Amino acid sequence: MSLAVLAPTPAPAVGLPGWPPTDRPSSVSVRALAVIAPAALALALGLWGIRRQNTMWGDEAVTYRLAQRELHQLWETVQQVDLVHALYYAVMHVVFDVFGTGLFSLRFPSVLAMAAAAGGVGLLGSRLAGPRAGVSAGLVFALLPQVQKYAQEGRSYAMVCALIVWATCALVVSSSRRDRWRWSVYGFAMLLGCLLHEFAVLALAAHGVTLIVSRPSKAVLKAWSVTAAGVVAALLPLAIVSAGQSEQVSWIGEPVRPYPWLAAVVVGLVCTRAPLRSQGTVQLTALAAPLLVLPGALLLIVSLAKPIFVDRYVLFSDIGLALLLGAFLEYVHRLPRYFWTVYVAVPAALVALAPLSSSLRTPQSRSNDATAIAAAVRTEGRPGDGLLYLSGQQRTLTAADPDDTRLLVDIALLRDPVASNTLAGIERPAPEIAARMKRFDRIVVVRAVGMHKPGNPREQAKRDTLRRHFRAHTTNEVNGARVTLYTRMHPE
């Protein structure tokens, strides 16, 4: 008679009902792949056509000029206008000092930031739903059209997105541990993101919903509450002062068109209908869904009273979309009958994205082309001609290269942008502008789309004088603006 030694039966791994056991802790190399592969793809996509045919659009032109001002001049300027972007301008000032000015220096920090964001999304997905979901989520994030677009933008949105991604990573880790330094990392990253753009605080609200749904320990909720309160308290002075500069977003008109965001929300919510795998204290759906839906929804609610919704303000919502899509792809891949659809759908999506990705590298992908507008002014004008911006704010569209307008006379300008510590300078009173216009036989007029204020006396004086004393001679239509040469009807 022999004795059989029976090995103890392993306990089943925790997972969703009906699911195979969740993956064992992945090796360092697999986890590294979830970070490196998305980051590398985002970096490659960011470098592809980064110069956008040597053009920049209006907002980038503002960054380009302000970041070249001395820090004390920059500080004086943001106290009057664009305070919400003060930290970003200061960062770009340092970048320009170290690496010089130019389109590459203007945009490469955003490329690096979006690569860091893609790597962070991969890490998040890996921790929440396994390495395969992590790699998928990171790659999906890097391929999203909005992500590709703002990875090549000389503005703060990519940096904000990266900081929110890594703050979210710190939140997920901290939710299962009590180390104070991790909460400090979370708070610091969130605060930096909010200082780069105030609407990043909406991600803080989404994180709060995530923790409420996840039901962590009271110690975790208390730690998050204290950290969140600290972030809001530190942001409050900036929010109060910048509220007095709300005219800066007066260009956002009605009706609000949140269609790309709504499409992303629909896709994300469809993904939540599947039994997505998740592991840890914070569930993937509980993290991704609020991040996708809540920030945009809050902006839309505010927009009922005052239009404020712009998709780039909630670019970080794409983090939630990428996590849900990555987990959904992993779910489909595990289905014995449908796993092959992943190998069909992914190449088909890449083929469909190719034309759109290519178009994002063209000047037409932006709402205006400041480089083309300045070139049109140079073409239409000749030395000594008058130069007139129908709206004073349009002066920023030709500010990137002062040589484009150096030989023309800016009729309305009283004090230039640097001397007045403003974005577009200070213009003369309406009667004086009209009188000065009559001294010229030829005036080059810049009319930009969506930058006009009904009832503005200066704009009205410009229009009336042009109508009564000048006629359009030639017009140059460019992306986002019309540049027209006017000549006197009856030269005096």
Coordinates of all heavy atoms in Angstrom, one line a residue, residues 107-191:
R107 N 7.5 73.4 -30.6 CA 6.6 72.2 -30.5 C 7.1 71.0 -29.8 O 6.4 70.1 -29.4 CB 6.1 71.9 -31.9 CG 5.2 73.0 -32.5 CD 4.8 72.7 -33.9 NE 4.1 73.8 -34.5 CZ 4.1 74.2 -35.7 NH1 4.8 73.6 -36.6 NH2 3.4 75.2 -36.1
F108 N 8.4 70.9 -29.8 CA 9.0 69.6 -29.3 C 8.7 69.4 -27.8 O 8.5 68.2 -27.4 CB 10.5 69.6 -29.5 CG 11.2 68.3 -29.2 CD1 10.8 67.1 -29.9 CD2 12.2 68.2 -28.3 CE1 11.4 65.9 -29.7 CE2 12.8 66.9 -28.0 CZ 12.4 65.8 -28.7
P109 N 8.6 70.4 -27.0 CA 8.2 70.1 -25.6 C 6.8 69.4 -25.5 O 6.6 68.5 -24.7 CB 8.2 71.5 -24.9 CG 9.2 72.3 -25.7 CD 9.1 71.8 -27.1
S110 N 5.9 69.8 -26.4 CA 4.6 69.1 -26.4 C 4.7 67.7 -26.9 O 4.0 66.8 -26.4 CB 3.7 69.9 -27.3 OG 3.4 71.2 -26.8
V111 N 5.6 67.5 -27.9 CA 5.8 66.1 -28.4 C 6.3 65.2 -27.2 O 5.8 64.1 -27.0 CB 6.8 66.1 -29.5 CG1 7.2 64.6 -29.9 CG2 6.3 66.8 -30.7
L112 N 7.3 65.7 -26.5 CA 7.8 64.9 -25.3 C 6.8 64.7 -24.3 O 6.7 63.6 -23.7 CB 9.0 65.7 -24.7 CG 10.3 65.7 -25.6 CD1 11.4 66.5 -24.8 CD2 10.8 64.3 -25.9
A113 N 6.0 65.8 -24.0 CA 4.9 65.6 -23.0 C 3.9 64.6 -23.4 O 3.5 63.8 -22.6 CB 4.2 67.0 -22.8
M114 N 3.5 64.6 -24.7 CA 2.5 63.6 -25.1 C 3.1 62.2 -25.1 O 2.4 61.2 -24.9 CB 2.0 64.0 -26.5 CG 0.6 63.5 -26.7 SD -0.6 64.1 -25.5 CE -1.3 65.5 -26.4
A115 N 4.4 62.1 -25.4 CA 5.0 60.7 -25.3 C 5.0 60.2 -23.9 O 4.7 59.1 -23.6 CB 6.4 60.8 -25.9
A116 N 5.3 61.1 -22.9 CA 5.2 60.8 -21.5 C 3.8 60.4 -21.1 O 3.5 59.5 -20.4 CB 5.7 61.9 -20.7
A117 N 2.8 61.1 -21.7 CA 1.4 60.8 -21.4 C 1.0 59.4 -21.9 O 0.4 58.6 -21.3 CB 0.5 61.9 -22.0
A118 N 1.4 59.1 -23.2 CA 1.1 57.8 -23.7 C 1.8 56.7 -22.9 O 1.1 55.6 -22.7 CB 1.6 57.7 -25.2
G119 N 3.0 56.9 -22.5 CA 3.6 55.9 -21.6 C 2.9 55.7 -20.3 O 2.7 54.6 -19.8
G120 N 2.4 56.8 -19.7 CA 1.6 56.8 -18.5 C 0.3 56.0 -18.7 O -0.1 55.3 -17.8
V121 N -0.4 56.3 -19.8 CA -1.6 55.5 -20.1 C -1.3 54.0 -20.2 O -2.1 53.2 -19.6 CB -2.3 56.1 -21.4 CG1 -3.4 55.2 -21.8 CG2 -2.7 57.5 -21.2
G122 N -0.2 53.7 -20.8 CA 0.1 52.3 -20.9 C 0.4 51.7 -19.5 O -0.1 50.5 -19.2
L123 N 1.0 52.4 -18.6 CA 1.3 51.9 -17.3 C 0.0 51.8 -16.5 O -0.2 50.8 -15.8 CB 2.2 52.9 -16.6 CG 2.6 52.5 -15.1 CD1 3.4 51.2 -15.1 CD2 3.5 53.6 -14.5
L124 N -0.9 52.8 -16.7 CA -2.2 52.7 -16.0 C -3.0 51.5 -16.4 O -3.5 50.8 -15.6 CB -3.0 54.0 -16.3 CG -3.0 55.2 -15.4 CD1 -3.8 56.3 -15.9 CD2 -3.5 54.8 -14.0
G125 N -3.1 51.3 -17.7 CA -3.8 50.1 -18.2 C -3.2 48.8 -17.8 O -3.9 47.9 -17.4
S126 N -1.9 48.8 -17.7 CA -1.2 47.5 -17.3 C -1.5 47.2 -15.8 O -1.8 46.1 -15.5 CB 0.3 47.7 -17.5 OG 1.0 46.5 -17.1
R127 N -1.5 48.3 -15.0 CA -1.8 48.1 -13.6 C -3.2 47.7 -13.3 O -3.6 46.9 -12.4 CB -1.4 49.3 -12.8 CG -1.5 49.2 -11.3 CD -1.0 50.4 -10.5 NE -1.1 50.1 -9.1 CZ -0.2 49.6 -8.3 NH1 0.9 49.1 -8.9 NH2 -0.4 49.4 -7.0
L128 N -4.1 48.3 -14.1 CA -5.6 48.2 -13.8 C -6.2 46.9 -14.5 O -7.1 46.3 -14.0 CB -6.3 49.4 -14.3 CG -6.1 50.7 -13.6 CD1 -6.8 51.8 -14.3 CD2 -6.6 50.6 -12.2
A129 N -5.6 46.5 -15.6 CA -6.3 45.4 -16.4 C -5.3 44.5 -17.0 O -5.7 43.6 -17.9 CB -7.2 46.0 -17.4
G130 N -4.0 44.5 -16.7 CA -3.0 43.6 -17.2 C -2.2 44.2 -18.4 O -2.6 45.2 -19.0
P131 N -1.0 43.6 -18.7 CA -0.1 44.1 -19.6 C -0.7 44.3 -21.0 O -0.4 45.3 -21.7 CB 1.0 43.1 -19.6 CG 0.9 42.4 -18.3 CD -0.5 42.4 -18.0
R132 N -1.5 43.3 -21.5 CA -2.0 43.4 -22.9 C -3.0 44.6 -23.0 O -2.9 45.4 -24.0 CB -2.8 42.1 -23.2 CG -3.3 42.1 -24.7 CD -4.0 40.9 -25.0 NE -3.2 39.7 -25.0 CZ -3.5 38.6 -24.4 NH1 -4.6 38.4 -23.8 NH2 -2.6 37.5 -24.4
A133 N -3.8 44.8 -22.0 CA -4.7 46.0 -22.0 C -3.9 47.3 -21.9 O -4.3 48.3 -22.5 CB -5.7 45.9 -20.8
G134 N -2.8 47.2 -21.1 CA -2.0 48.4 -21.0 C -1.3 48.8 -22.3 O -1.3 50.0 -22.6
V135 N -0.7 47.9 -23.0 CA -0.1 48.2 -24.3 C -1.2 48.7 -25.2 O -0.9 49.7 -25.9 CB 0.6 46.9 -24.8 CG1 1.1 47.2 -26.3 CG2 1.8 46.5 -23.9
S136 N -2.3 48.0 -25.3 CA -3.4 48.5 -26.2 C -3.8 49.9 -25.9 O -4.0 50.7 -26.8 CB -4.6 47.5 -26.1 OG -4.2 46.2 -26.5
A137 N -4.1 50.2 -24.6 CA -4.5 51.5 -24.2 C -3.5 52.6 -24.5 O -3.9 53.7 -25.1 CB -4.8 51.5 -22.7
G138 N -2.2 52.3 -24.3 CA -1.2 53.3 -24.6 C -1.1 53.6 -26.1 O -1.0 54.7 -26.5
L139 N -1.2 52.5 -26.9 CA -1.1 52.7 -28.3 C -2.3 53.4 -28.9 O -2.2 54.2 -29.8 CB -0.9 51.3 -29.0 CG 0.4 50.6 -28.7 CD1 0.4 49.2 -29.4 CD2 1.6 51.4 -29.1
V140 N -3.5 53.0 -28.3 CA -4.7 53.7 -28.8 C -4.6 55.2 -28.5 O -5.0 56.1 -29.3 CB -6.0 53.1 -28.1 CG1 -7.2 54.0 -28.2 CG2 -6.3 51.7 -28.7
F141 N -4.1 55.5 -27.3 CA -4.0 57.0 -26.9 C -3.1 57.7 -27.9 O -3.5 58.8 -28.3 CB -3.4 57.0 -25.5 CG -3.2 58.5 -25.0 CD1 -4.3 59.2 -24.5 CD2 -2.0 59.1 -25.0 CE1 -4.1 60.5 -24.0 CE2 -1.8 60.3 -24.6 CZ -2.9 61.1 -24.1
A142 N -2.0 57.1 -28.2 CA -1.0 57.8 -29.1 C -1.6 58.0 -30.5 O -1.3 59.0 -31.2 CB 0.3 57.0 -29.2
L143 N -2.6 57.1 -30.9 CA -3.1 57.2 -32.2 C -4.4 58.1 -32.3 O -4.8 58.5 -33.4 CB -3.5 55.8 -32.7 CG -2.3 54.9 -33.1 CD1 -2.8 53.5 -33.2 CD2 -1.6 55.4 -34.4
L144 N -4.9 58.5 -31.2 CA -6.2 59.3 -31.2 C -5.9 60.6 -32.0 O -4.9 61.3 -31.7 CB -6.7 59.6 -29.8 CG -7.2 58.4 -29.1 CD1 -7.6 58.8 -27.6 CD2 -8.5 57.9 -29.8
P145 N -6.7 61.0 -32.9 CA -6.5 62.2 -33.7 C -6.3 63.5 -32.8 O -5.4 64.3 -33.1 CB -7.8 62.4 -34.5 CG -8.3 61.0 -34.7 CD -7.9 60.3 -33.4
Q146 N -7.0 63.7 -31.7 CA -6.9 64.8 -30.9 C -5.5 64.8 -30.2 O -4.9 65.9 -30.1 CB -8.0 64.9 -29.8 CG -9.3 65.3 -30.3 CD -9.4 66.8 -30.7 OE1 -9.0 67.2 -31.8 NE2 -9.8 67.6 -29.7
V147 N -5.0 63.7 -29.8 CA -3.7 63.5 -29.2 C -2.6 63.9 -30.2 O -1.7 64.6 -29.9 CB -3.5 62.1 -28.6 CG1 -2.1 61.9 -28.2 CG2 -4.5 61.9 -27.5
Q148 N -2.8 63.3 -31.4 CA -1.8 63.7 -32.5 C -1.7 65.1 -32.8 O -0.7 65.7 -33.0 CB -2.1 62.9 -33.8 CG -1.9 61.4 -33.7 CD -2.0 60.7 -35.0 OE1 -1.3 61.1 -36.0 NE2 -2.9 59.8 -35.1
K149 N -2.9 65.8 -32.8 CA -3.0 67.2 -33.1 C -2.3 68.0 -32.1 O -1.4 68.9 -32.4 CB -4.5 67.6 -33.2 CG -4.6 69.1 -33.5 CD -6.1 69.4 -33.7 CE -6.3 70.9 -34.0 NZ -7.8 71.2 -34.2
Y150 N -2.6 67.8 -30.8 CA -2.0 68.7 -29.8 C -0.6 68.3 -29.3 O 0.0 69.0 -28.6 CB -3.0 68.8 -28.6 CG -4.3 69.6 -29.0 CD1 -5.4 68.9 -29.3 CD2 -4.2 70.9 -29.3 CE1 -6.6 69.6 -29.7 CE2 -5.3 71.6 -29.7 CZ -6.5 70.9 -30.0 OH -7.6 71.6 -30.4
A151 N -0.2 67.1 -29.8 CA 1.2 66.8 -29.6 C 2.1 67.7 -30.4 O 3.3 67.8 -30.1 CB 1.5 65.3 -29.9
Q152 N 1.6 68.3 -31.4 CA 2.4 69.2 -32.3 C 1.9 70.6 -32.2 O 1.9 71.4 -33.1 CB 2.3 68.7 -33.7 CG 2.9 67.4 -34.0 CD 2.9 67.0 -35.4 OE1 2.0 67.3 -36.2 NE2 3.9 66.2 -35.9
E153 N 1.5 71.0 -31.0 CA 1.0 72.4 -30.8 C 1.9 73.1 -29.8 O 2.1 72.6 -28.7 CB -0.4 72.3 -30.2 CG -1.2 73.6 -30.3 CD -2.2 73.7 -31.4 OE1 -1.8 73.2 -32.5 OE2 -3.2 74.2 -31.2
G154 N 2.2 74.3 -30.1 CA 3.0 75.1 -29.2 C 2.1 75.8 -28.1 O 2.1 77.0 -27.9
R155 N 1.4 75.0 -27.4 CA 0.5 75.4 -26.3 C 0.6 74.4 -25.2 O 1.3 73.4 -25.3 CB -1.0 75.5 -26.8 CG -1.2 76.5 -27.9 CD -0.8 77.9 -27.5 NE -1.9 78.6 -26.7 CZ -1.8 79.8 -26.2 NH1 -0.7 80.4 -26.2 NH2 -2.8 80.3 -25.5
S156 N -0.1 74.6 -24.1 CA 0.1 73.9 -22.8 C -0.6 72.6 -22.7 O -0.4 71.8 -21.8 CB -0.3 74.8 -21.6 OG -1.7 75.0 -21.7
Y157 N -1.5 72.3 -23.7 CA -2.4 71.1 -23.5 C -1.8 69.8 -23.4 O -2.2 68.9 -22.6 CB -3.5 71.2 -24.6 CG -4.1 72.5 -24.8 CD1 -3.8 73.3 -25.9 CD2 -4.9 73.0 -23.8 CE1 -4.4 74.6 -26.0 CE2 -5.5 74.3 -23.9 CZ -5.2 75.1 -25.0 OH -5.7 76.3 -25.2
A158 N -0.7 69.5 -24.1 CA 0.0 68.3 -24.0 C 0.6 68.1 -22.6 O 0.6 67.0 -22.0 CB 1.1 68.1 -25.1
M159 N 1.2 69.2 -22.1 CA 1.9 69.1 -20.8 C 0.8 68.9 -19.7 O 1.1 68.1 -18.8 CB 2.6 70.4 -20.5 CG 3.8 70.7 -21.4 SD 4.7 72.2 -20.9 CE 5.9 72.3 -22.2
V160 N -0.3 69.5 -19.8 CA -1.4 69.3 -18.9 C -1.8 67.8 -18.9 O -2.0 67.2 -17.9 CB -2.6 70.2 -19.2 CG1 -3.8 69.8 -18.3 CG2 -2.2 71.7 -19.0
C161 N -2.0 67.3 -20.1 CA -2.4 65.9 -20.3 C -1.4 64.9 -19.6 O -1.8 64.0 -18.9 CB -2.5 65.6 -21.8 SG -3.6 64.2 -22.1
A162 N -0.1 65.2 -19.8 CA 0.9 64.3 -19.2 C 0.9 64.4 -17.7 O 1.0 63.3 -17.0 CB 2.3 64.7 -19.8
L163 N 0.7 65.5 -17.2 CA 0.7 65.7 -15.7 C -0.5 65.0 -15.1 O -0.4 64.3 -14.1 CB 0.7 67.2 -15.3 CG 2.1 67.8 -15.5 CD1 1.9 69.4 -15.4 CD2 3.1 67.4 -14.4
I164 N -1.7 65.1 -15.8 CA -2.9 64.4 -15.3 C -2.7 62.9 -15.4 O -3.1 62.2 -14.5 CB -4.1 64.9 -16.0 CG1 -4.4 66.4 -15.6 CG2 -5.3 64.0 -15.7 CD1 -5.5 67.0 -16.4
V165 N -2.1 62.4 -16.4 CA -1.9 61.0 -16.6 C -1.0 60.4 -15.4 O -1.4 59.5 -14.7 CB -1.2 60.6 -17.9 CG1 -0.7 59.2 -17.9 CG2 -2.1 60.8 -19.1
W166 N 0.1 61.1 -15.1 CA 1.0 60.6 -14.1 C 0.4 60.9 -12.7 O 0.7 60.1 -11.7 CB 2.4 61.2 -14.3 CG 3.0 60.5 -15.4 CD1 3.1 61.0 -16.7 CD2 3.6 59.2 -15.4 NE1 3.7 60.0 -17.5 CE2 4.1 59.0 -16.8 CE3 3.9 58.2 -14.5 CZ2 4.7 57.8 -17.1 CZ3 4.5 57.1 -14.8 CH2 4.9 56.8 -16.1
A167 N -0.4 62.0 -12.5 CA -1.1 62.2 -11.3 C -2.1 61.0 -11.0 O -2.2 60.5 -9.9 CB -1.8 63.5 -11.3
T168 N -2.7 60.6 -12.1 CA -3.7 59.5 -12.0 C -2.9 58.2 -11.6 O -3.5 57.4 -10.8 CB -4.4 59.3 -13.3 OG1 -5.1 60.5 -13.7 CG2 -5.5 58.2 -13.2
C169 N -1.8 58.0 -12.2 CA -1.0 56.8 -11.8 C -0.7 56.9 -10.3 O -0.8 55.9 -9.6 CB 0.4 56.8 -12.6 SG 0.2 56.4 -14.3
A170 N -0.3 58.0 -9.8 CA 0.0 58.2 -8.4 C -1.3 57.9 -7.5 O -1.2 57.4 -6.5 CB 0.5 59.6 -8.1
L171 N -2.4 58.4 -8.1 CA -3.7 58.1 -7.3 C -4.0 56.6 -7.2 O -4.4 56.1 -6.1 CB -4.8 58.8 -8.1 CG -6.2 58.6 -7.5 CD1 -6.4 59.3 -6.2 CD2 -7.3 59.0 -8.5
V172 N -3.8 55.9 -8.3 CA -4.1 54.5 -8.3 C -3.2 53.7 -7.3 O -3.6 52.9 -6.5 CB -3.9 53.9 -9.7 CG1 -4.0 52.4 -9.7 CG2 -5.0 54.4 -10.6
V173 N -1.9 54.1 -7.3 CA -0.9 53.5 -6.4 C -1.3 53.8 -5.0 O -1.3 53.0 -4.1 CB 0.5 53.9 -6.7 CG1 1.5 53.4 -5.7 CG2 0.9 53.3 -8.1
S174 N -1.6 55.1 -4.7 CA -1.8 55.6 -3.4 C -3.1 55.0 -2.8 O -3.3 55.0 -1.6 CB -1.9 57.1 -3.4 OG -0.7 57.7 -3.8
S175 N -4.1 54.6 -3.7 CA -5.3 54.1 -3.2 C -5.2 52.8 -2.4 O -6.1 52.4 -1.7 CB -6.3 53.9 -4.3 OG -5.8 52.9 -5.2
S176 N -4.1 52.1 -2.6 CA -3.9 50.8 -1.9 C -2.7 50.9 -0.9 O -2.4 49.9 -0.3 CB -3.6 49.7 -2.9 OG -2.5 50.0 -3.7
R177 N -2.1 52.1 -0.8 CA -1.0 52.3 0.2 C -1.2 53.6 0.9 O -1.8 54.5 0.5 CB 0.3 52.2 -0.6 CG 0.5 51.0 -1.4 CD 1.9 51.0 -2.1 NE 2.0 49.8 -3.0 CZ 3.1 49.5 -3.7 NH1 4.2 50.3 -3.6 NH2 3.1 48.5 -4.5
R178 N -0.5 53.7 2.0 CA -0.7 54.8 2.9 C 0.5 55.7 2.9 O 0.6 56.6 3.8 CB -1.0 54.4 4.3 CG -2.4 53.6 4.4 CD -2.7 53.3 5.9 NE -4.0 52.6 6.0 CZ -4.5 52.2 7.1 NH1 -3.9 52.5 8.3 NH2 -5.7 51.5 7.1
D179 N 1.5 55.6 2.0 CA 2.7 56.4 2.0 C 2.3 57.8 1.7 O 1.7 58.1 0.7 CB 3.7 55.9 1.0 CG 4.1 54.4 1.4 OD1 4.1 54.1 2.6 OD2 4.5 53.7 0.4
R180 N 2.7 58.7 2.6 CA 2.4 60.2 2.4 C 3.1 60.7 1.2 O 2.5 61.6 0.5 CB 2.8 61.0 3.6 CG 1.9 60.7 4.8 CD 2.3 61.6 6.0 NE 1.4 61.3 7.1 CZ 1.5 62.0 8.3 NH1 2.4 63.0 8.4 NH2 0.7 61.7 9.3
W181 N 4.3 60.2 0.8 CA 5.0 60.8 -0.3 C 4.3 60.6 -1.6 O 4.4 61.4 -2.5 CB 6.5 60.3 -0.3 CG 6.6 58.9 -0.7 CD1 6.6 57.8 0.0 CD2 6.8 58.4 -2.1 NE1 6.8 56.6 -0.7 CE2 6.9 57.0 -2.0 CE3 6.9 59.0 -3.3 CZ2 7.1 56.2 -3.2 CZ3 7.1 58.3 -4.5 CH2 7.2 56.9 -4.4
R182 N 3.6 59.5 -1.7 CA 2.8 59.2 -2.9 C 1.7 60.2 -3.1 O 1.4 60.7 -4.2 CB 2.3 57.8 -3.0 CG 3.4 56.8 -3.2 CD 2.8 55.4 -3.4 NE 3.8 54.4 -3.8 CZ 4.6 53.7 -2.9 NH1 4.4 53.9 -1.6 NH2 5.5 52.9 -3.3
W183 N 1.0 60.6 -2.0 CA 0.0 61.6 -2.1 C 0.6 63.0 -2.4 O 0.0 63.8 -3.1 CB -0.8 61.6 -0.8 CG -1.7 60.5 -0.6 CD1 -1.6 59.4 0.2 CD2 -2.9 60.3 -1.4 NE1 -2.7 58.6 0.0 CE2 -3.5 59.1 -1.0 CE3 -3.6 61.0 -2.4 CZ2 -4.7 58.5 -1.5 CZ3 -4.7 60.5 -3.0 CH2 -5.3 59.3 -2.5
S184 N 1.8 63.2 -1.9 CA 2.5 64.4 -2.2 C 2.8 64.5 -3.7 O 2.7 65.6 -4.3 CB 3.8 64.6 -1.4 OG 3.6 64.6 0.0
V185 N 3.2 63.4 -4.3 CA 3.5 63.3 -5.8 C 2.2 63.6 -6.5 O 2.2 64.4 -7.5 CB 4.1 62.0 -6.2 CG1 4.1 61.8 -7.7 CG2 5.5 61.8 -5.6
Y186 N 1.1 63.0 -6.1 CA -0.2 63.2 -6.7 C -0.6 64.7 -6.6 O -1.0 65.3 -7.7 CB -1.3 62.4 -6.0 CG -2.7 62.7 -6.4 CD1 -3.2 62.3 -7.7 CD2 -3.5 63.4 -5.6 CE1 -4.5 62.6 -8.1 CE2 -4.8 63.7 -6.0 CZ -5.3 63.3 -7.2 OH -6.6 63.6 -7.6
G187 N -0.5 65.3 -5.5 CA -0.9 66.7 -5.3 C 0.0 67.6 -6.1 O -0.5 68.6 -6.7
F188 N 1.3 67.3 -6.1 CA 2.2 68.2 -6.9 C 1.9 68.2 -8.4 O 1.9 69.2 -9.1 CB 3.6 67.8 -6.6 CG 4.7 68.7 -7.3 CD1 4.9 70.0 -6.8 CD2 5.4 68.2 -8.3 CE1 5.8 70.8 -7.5 CE2 6.4 69.0 -8.9 CZ 6.6 70.3 -8.5
A189 N 1.7 67.0 -8.9 CA 1.4 66.8 -10.3 C 0.1 67.5 -10.7 O 0.0 68.2 -11.7 CB 1.4 65.3 -10.7
M190 N -0.9 67.3 -9.9 CA -2.2 67.9 -10.1 C -2.1 69.4 -10.1 O -2.7 70.1 -10.9 CB -3.3 67.4 -9.2 CG -3.9 66.1 -9.5 SD -4.6 65.9 -11.1 CE -5.7 67.3 -11.1
L191 N -1.4 69.9 -9.1 CA -1.2 71.4 -9.0 C -0.5 72.0 -10.2 O -0.9 73.0 -10.7 CB -0.5 71.7 -7.7 CG -0.3 73.2 -7.4 CD1 -1.6 74.0 -7.4 CD2 0.5 73.5 -6.1

